[in-house]
Amino acid sequence: MPGVPSGRGCDACRKQKKKQRYKFKNETVVLTVAKRVTSTSYSSDQPRSPVPGSSSIISNPSSRLLTAFIHTISQQVDIRFQLPWNFGDYFNLIPRHLGVSRSLDTAVDALITAHTSFCAGNLQPGPEVLAKHSLALSVLRHNLTDVVKARTSETLAAIMVISVTQVRHTTQNSGNITHTQGAARLLTSRGLAEPRDEFGKRLVLTLRGPVFEALLTNNIQLSTREWKILSEGTFGGHDNAPDVKWFMCITDVPDLIQRSKAALILHEPPSLHLLSLELEVRALLDHIRPVITRLRDRFDNFDAKSFPEKLSDQLRAHYMRSLAMGLGVGIVLNCVLSGLEGTPTVVCDESVLWSDEIVRIAELAVVYRPLGSMAMLIALRMAWSGVWLRESKARIEELLKEYGLSVGLTEDSDCSDLGPMQRRWTLQQL
């Protein structure tokens, strides 16, 4: 039987005493479209076109994978579970690249299984999800040993798809969002190159996860050049959009934190070196404040009735998370400034107001859980560092646990990481 190796060969081959060759089921793509059969090997560098809506005969694993993935990323999927809207529109370009790279194919297969299970209400990964995820990681690691394959857009896509799948593998006893730490390490080993095609550009634009987590942990380290690639040159003609403005601001923060910590070891406030760093932070705050105003005005003035219901939900959720993240960036910058000024335990009134605003947004965004409002898990951590009243911190911790439960964190997961996170932002030595 084709695709089922038995070691004996088929009847015809045995009669002719021929050896029969077998391939992994995903090594060849065969699509039958309008009575025409085409084959694409993994050795090919050329992507093939997707065939949604065509009269494809779904007769082999590769074409079934394509069909299943197109169904998984459909725009008809509820915003609470939709992959392209929540993790990046590069998902919409993946179908043409299936069959080119085994690492991308196995990553997509693992994601489909994990997403299907998650949508069915299984918050913890089952044996099939874990097995496919393990296979995808193994194939990816092998690809990364090949210099040519490692630098292709397909390999970068596989890294990002696997990082999305790892949302289901979050450490159960910690509130940390850890799924992009692995992606960042893989990116570092791969080498983050300038994007060479539209697919690559979309992928780099989506690499915001490692940027956000670099604020939360020391485990993500990228070079100055890699931060530059992430923050510049990928936004086309939309550089003036408020979403771009706050993101480009946030990419400066991890490096600024590291430089400030190093400076505080050698200098005591006030010093010219520390004053120079203070000026950098104040400049970023001066940049982010009008951006926050634009984000707030866009959300406050949004008229849901002007759009179809599904698009209206998507825009509203997007405006919510952009505003929450912009406010969070402002809070982190104020924390860094207080550390440089030698008052790390002082919370400024501006940060308190911004924190309260994030809490209000998080309370509204619950309707988009679990995936449609995942950004609140990061924004609320920023908000926690912007308040000093115990009752305010307690309310934020309560919301964090509620959001955590929606993506599979255990009920007894705590917020013990919040204190170290705040000390990191205020430049205190941990």
Side-chain angles (χ1 to χ4, degrees):
M1 180 181 293
V4 184
S6 65
R8 300 172 55 204
C10 64
D11 292 337
C13 289
R14 286 199 305 276
K15 288 178 181 178
Q16 297 178 48
K17 298 184 178 180
K18 290 183 179 179
K19 282 188 176 181
Q20 187 148 355
R21 295 176 61 218
Y22 299 103
K23 296 183 178 182
F24 288 108
K25 66 179 182 180
N26 284 331
E27 284 186 347
T28 302
V29 176
V30 181
L31 289 179
T32 307
V33 183
K35 298 183 179 180
R36 191 175 170 189
V37 179
T38 61
S39 178
T40 304
S41 169
Y42 283 129
S43 62
S44 171
D45 293 328
Q46 299 298 321
R48 59 181 173 78
S49 299
V51 289
S54 70
S55 56
S56 302
I57 300 175
I58 311 304
S59 58
N60 61 73
S62 295
S63 49
R64 285 198 296 271
L65 177 67
L66 174 64
T67 302
F69 186 64
I70 290 173
H71 176 75
T72 300
I73 65 173
S74 169
Q75 292 295 320
Q76 300 307 310
V77 175
D78 191 291
I79 187 177
R80 296 172 299 163
F81 299 96
Q82 193 183 118
L83 293 175
W85 188 88
N86 289 305
F87 294 101
D89 67 351
Y90 73 91
F91 273 100
N92 295 318
L93 297 183
I94 285 179
R96 331 177 193 175
H97 296 262
L98 291 177
V100 177
S101 161
R102 188 167 181 243
S103 63
L104 180 56
D105 285 8
T106 53
V108 165
D109 189 30
L111 178 63
I112 292 170
T113 303
H115 186 259
T116 301
S117 176
F118 185 57
C119 291
N122 301 312
L123 297 183
Q124 305 306 320
E128 185 181 14
V129 174
L130 293 173
K132 290 190 174 183
H133 178 68
S134 178
L135 174 62
L137 281 174
S138 176
V139 174
L140 176 60
R141 290 192 188 101
H142 178 72
N143 251 32
L144 290 173
T145 63
D146 184 311
V147 176
V148 176
K149 288 182 179 179
R151 298 182 74 82
T152 64
S153 294
E154 286 76 25
T155 297
L156 178 55
I159 292 172
M160 296 312 297
V161 169
I162 287 174
S163 77
V164 171
T165 306
Q166 285 178 324
V167 171
R168 307 297 347 112
H169 302 177
T170 306
T171 303
Q172 296 305 310
N173 293 318
S174 170
N176 288 323
I177 313 298
T178 60
H179 65 281
T180 58
Q181 292 183 30
R185 284 193 290 270
L186 289 170
L187 284 170
T188 301
S189 63
R190 166 193 182 271
L192 182 56
E194 296 281 355
R196 295 179 296 178
D197 52 28
E198 181 59 28
F199 190 40
K201 289 179 181 178
R202 297 271 190 99
L203 287 163
V204 171
L205 181 60
T206 308
L207 293 176
R208 297 178 176 183
V211 177
F212 297 149
E213 279 207 43
L215 291 176
L216 312 183
T217 175
N218 288 317
N219 294 335
I220 294 179
Q221 299 289 336
L222 297 177
S223 69
T224 301
R225 174 180 167 276
E226 288 168 333
W227 285 122
K228 186 177 179 63
I229 292 174
L230 287 177
S231 62
E232 298 177 1
T234 58
F235 295 100
H238 304 289
D239 288 27
N240 195 44
D243 308 274
V244 174
K245 292 290 187 182
W246 73 257
F247 177 70
M248 293 183 72
C249 181
I250 205 176
T251 57
D252 292 325
V253 178
D255 180 59
L256 184 58
I257 289 175
Q258 293 304 317
R259 287 190 291 121
S260 298
K261 280 187 174 181
L264 282 171
I265 294 174
L266 301 174
H267 307 276
E268 291 186 4
S271 76
L272 289 178
H273 190 70
L274 294 179
L275 288 173
S276 175
L277 289 168
E278 281 184 40
L279 289 175
E280 283 191 53
V281 179
R282 292 184 188 280
L284 287 173
L285 278 165
D286 288 341
H287 177 81
I288 198 70
R289 288 186 183 106
V291 173
I292 289 174
T293 299
R294 289 177 63 190
L295 292 168
R296 183 186 294 116
D297 289 345
R298 186 177 66 176
F299 174 59
D300 289 342
N301 298 322
F302 177 62
D303 183 8
K305 296 179 181 178
S306 300
F307 302 92
E309 183 177 359
K310 186 174 289 292
L311 178 58
S312 175
D313 277 344
Q314 291 177 344
L315 289 173
R316 184 170 181 266
H318 171 66
Y319 295 164
M320 279 184 178
R321 69 182 180 187
S322 291
L323 175 55
M325 292 303 295
L327 292 163
V329 173
I331 292 170
V332 172
L333 287 171
N334 275 326
C335 285
V336 175
L337 185 60
S338 69
L340 286 170
E341 291 176 337
T343 56
T345 59
V346 175
V347 175
C348 68
D349 292 340
E350 183 177 55
S351 289
V352 173
L353 292 174
W354 285 346
S355 294
D356 289 344
E357 196 167 353
I358 291 174
V359 168
R360 289 195 295 272
I361 294 169
E363 289 171 343
L364 293 173
V366 294
V367 296
Y368 302 121
R369 291 189 321 213
L371 301 185
S373 54
M374 277 189 64
M376 297 303 151
L377 283 165
I378 297 178
L380 284 167
R381 282 176 158 68
M382 297 171 173
W384 192 91
S385 295
V387 294
W388 62 273
L389 288 175
R390 183 60 245 173
E391 53 264 37
S392 298
K393 288 185 178 291
R395 175 55 182 149
I396 293 172
E397 291 168 10
E398 181 183 351
L399 282 168
L400 277 170
K401 288 187 177 182
E402 290 176 12
Y403 272 93
L405 283 172
S406 73
V407 294
L409 294 177
T410 57
E411 190 171 1
D412 61 349
S413 62
D414 58 39
C415 299
S416 59
D417 62 314
L418 294 175
M421 207 170 293
Q422 183 175 20
R423 291 193 291 276
R424 166 177 164 75
W425 295 334
T426 54
L427 312 178
Q428 299 176 68
Q429 300 303 317
L430 301 181

